[in-house]
Amino acid sequence: PGMTDAHAHVMLEAARRRRADLSECGDATECAAVLAAWAKNSTGSWALGFGFDQTAWPGGAWPDKQDLDAVLPTEPARAEHVSGHACWVNSAALAAANITKDTPDPPGGVIERDSTGEPTGILTDNAMELIDAVLPTPSAAAVDTSFEEVLEACAARGLTGVHDLAALPGDLDYYASKDAAGALTLRLHVFRDAAEHGSPPPLPWANESALVRCRGAKFFADGAMGSWSAAMLEPYSDRNTTGTLVYNLTALTEGVETWAAAGYQVASHAIGDAANRQVLDAYEAAGVTPGNRWRVEHAQIIAPSDLPRFAALGVLPSMQPSHVASDLGYADARLGPRANLSYAWRALKNTSLNLDALPLGSDFPTAGSIPVLLGFHAAVTRCRPDNTPAGGWHPEEKLSSLEALRGYTRDAAVAAFREDELGSLLPGFLADLTVLEQDPVTADPSTVASIRVLGTVVGGVAVFAPADSPLFGTLPRPRVGAAAASPAALAAGAAW
């Protein structure tokens, strides 16, 4: 069946492609140099980068504004953390956003400060919005080009569908314009970012089509482990903080109830064990039933007493195997014994989950990437792409190859209420197909990431078929058109 990424960020991936790639930088100095070099070749007024990861640097500490000031003293600079839950800026950016030592931390966010109270240049979660509010708007041509690159990459890697989590209002306008022009080559199952909408827009969405559907809403309960902002019941083992809860329980419950009453399927980002508990508590207080198929996105660190609650409440854990590959180098030091029940795919599967569904995704571009078979590899090995560590990290939580395949096909369809038309090869189902050179279920798990994609078919249309593919020339090619980005879409692009 066609493979679906059950958790990704399409417009953020497009934005990443318009910025300096910081993912391979080994320290703050190298990051700053890459960003400065990118800025020299950019016509924009800001230096923008994505993907720095201080957890992979010597010492693992946050960088600060002076690192960027040394090479970008006057041009505002913003570098986004690989998790998407923190940004690193220079003094010019702080000044542009009027952030000083007197600026209070916004609810659900933190402005990191030095011993004198001065901002260091690191902002997490909702504090990032202070910077994002003054970012320049991208051009229509830049948005179009980067979006088309995302579609091409998804098709080439075998993805027929994506669950797009936390869409801004303009994103849906943009998808609708592309869909109307025949320029979409991917099914998009969209969840609105609840916090970015004043109230739930009415359902059904007026522009719903065979390729774009919006019936869900997403909340953010906490931040990310890599930025120490995932909310924990007890302090991290390597820093005296418990992270950030974005909402109190009453506010989260009321938000869930409001969007559910409007007919939306609810999903909530929760990484830390405190956030997972809060989301489960809010769902229970809001009267969740298995028929709602409400989701917890990530469900990454779970207290033992909360593990059986997913099945008991009928809540679907939507998980991203690639997070193990990106986090295993520091997770034990950061979590201590709590790492034993983290990224706990097997433990959750063993609790008789609702409809036996464990939908899998990548979270691209935040700590994950588009190639779906990289996630598949992590699911069945608990290893990095180079198959380290030997035997896998906490290998007791591995999935079988068949379970992993179901996670990206049938279970992803279940999580979108579409298992009667997607996720299986059955008569009458939509003709979404991923054609691989080798069966990933019978392949050696250590080699599954290198299996070649020979074709991608969406609704009977070959959206990817290399010249040596058995599909080449046998199926209709997509009709590609051009569509201008709406003003709302471009305004949303500024936030991305």
Side-chain angles (χ1 to χ4, degrees):
M3 300 185 79
T4 292
D5 189 318
H7 182 115
H9 305 282
V10 174
M11 295 302 282
L12 183 58
E13 171 65 18
R16 181 192 70 80
R17 292 166 180 263
R18 302 192 297 270
R19 299 173 182 176
D21 182 2
L22 307 178
S23 62
E24 300 299 321
C25 296
D27 56 31
T29 300
E30 185 179 358
C31 263
V34 169
L35 193 54
W38 179 91
K40 287 182 180 179
N41 296 315
S42 170
T43 59
S45 57
W46 280 61
L48 299 172
F50 187 94
F52 84 90
D53 183 6
Q54 90 291 347
T55 68
W57 300 349
W62 281 127
D64 61 36
K65 61 188 177 185
Q66 283 85 7
D67 298 307
L68 292 174
D69 291 346
V71 292
L72 290 162
T74 59
E75 182 176 355
R78 178 192 185 278
E80 187 151 341
H81 190 259
V82 65
S83 69
H85 285 268
C87 68
W88 166 33
V89 300
N90 64 355
S91 296
L94 291 171
N98 196 29
I99 298 172
T100 70
K101 67 185 304 181
D102 297 321
T103 304
D105 289 348
V110 173
I111 303 169
E112 294 282 340
R113 305 170 194 270
D114 63 19
S115 59
T116 69
E118 288 289 341
T120 66
I122 295 292
L123 301 94
T124 66
D125 298 295
N126 286 354
M128 297 166 64
E129 296 176 4
L130 301 175
I131 295 291
D132 295 346
V134 297
L135 287 179
T137 300
S139 70
V143 172
D144 277 346
T145 298
S146 59
F147 182 73
E148 288 162 7
E149 289 176 358
V150 175
L151 293 182
E152 290 172 1
C154 288
R157 298 299 189 171
L159 282 176
T160 61
V162 166
H163 295 188
D164 187 42
L165 273 293
L168 304 179
D171 297 349
L172 283 157
D173 292 340
Y174 187 74
Y175 297 155
S177 68
K178 290 300 183 185
D179 188 27
L184 279 186
T185 55
L186 186 71
R187 290 194 198 279
L188 294 172
H189 187 80
V190 183
F191 285 71
R192 295 181 184 272
D193 185 332
E196 296 294 331
H197 294 73
S199 60
L203 290 176
W205 177 49
N207 295 310
E208 184 168 302
S209 71
L211 289 180
V212 187
R213 177 178 290 190
C214 179
R215 301 184 183 183
K218 181 188 177 186
F219 293 83
F220 285 89
D222 67 345
M225 190 174 73
S227 56
W228 291 282
S229 59
M232 305 298 296
L233 295 169
E234 300 294 336
Y236 286 97
S237 298
D238 62 351
R239 194 176 190 187
N240 187 26
T241 179
T242 56
T244 304
L245 279 172
V246 175
Y247 299 93
N248 61 44
L249 179 59
T250 299
L252 180 59
T253 302
E254 289 175 350
V256 168
E257 290 174 335
T258 297
W259 283 82
Y264 283 83
Q265 179 189 12
V266 176
S268 298
H269 163 115
I271 289 182
D273 52 10
N276 275 282
R277 178 169 294 176
Q278 185 193 63
V279 169
L280 293 171
D281 288 347
Y283 285 3
E284 187 169 14
V288 65
T289 68
N292 297 137
R293 302 189 197 180
W294 291 355
R295 300 165 45 157
V296 176
E297 305 302 315
H298 312 306
Q300 196 163 295
I301 307 160
I302 304 171
S305 61
D306 290 324
L307 187 74
R309 297 180 67 197
F310 286 84
L313 296 172
V315 172
L316 299 178
S318 170
M319 306 184 78
Q320 298 73 45
S322 55
H323 285 181
V324 160
S326 63
D327 296 353
L328 63 83
Y330 70 93
D332 285 307
R334 188 145 301 177
L335 298 176
R338 292 168 290 191
N340 295 329
L341 200 58
S342 300
Y343 320 82
W345 316 319
R346 169 58 52 210
L348 282 163
K349 284 287 285 185
N350 289 345
T351 63
S352 300
L353 292 170
N354 187 15
L355 299 172
D356 192 31
L358 183 66
L360 301 178
S362 70
D363 203 15
F364 75 69
T366 62
S369 56
I370 287 174
V372 64
L373 291 177
L374 281 176
F376 195 112
H377 172 270
V380 298
T381 66
R382 303 279 291 192
C383 290
R384 302 181 183 94
D386 65 359
N387 290 306
T388 61
W393 183 76
H394 293 278
E396 67 277 4
E397 294 296 339
K398 292 179 185 177
L399 295 176
S400 72
S401 295
L402 183 58
E403 288 169 333
L405 181 63
R406 282 171 55 99
Y408 291 106
T409 54
R410 179 265 182 188
D411 293 355
V414 167
F417 288 91
R418 302 193 74 174
E419 73 274 17
D420 60 346
E421 60 180 353
L422 290 171
S424 302
L425 296 181
L426 290 170
F429 274 48
L430 296 172
D432 288 8
L433 314 169
T434 301
V435 184
L436 303 175
E437 193 171 41
Q438 189 178 0
D439 183 351
V441 174
T442 59
D444 180 342
S446 68
T447 65
V448 70
S450 62
I451 294 175
R452 187 164 169 247
V453 177
L454 294 179
T456 307
V457 179
V458 178
V461 175
V463 298
F464 174 74
D468 61 344
S469 167
L471 295 180
F472 185 75
T474 64
L475 293 172
R477 301 291 294 167
R479 174 175 60 90
V480 178
S486 70
L490 293 178
W496 288 124

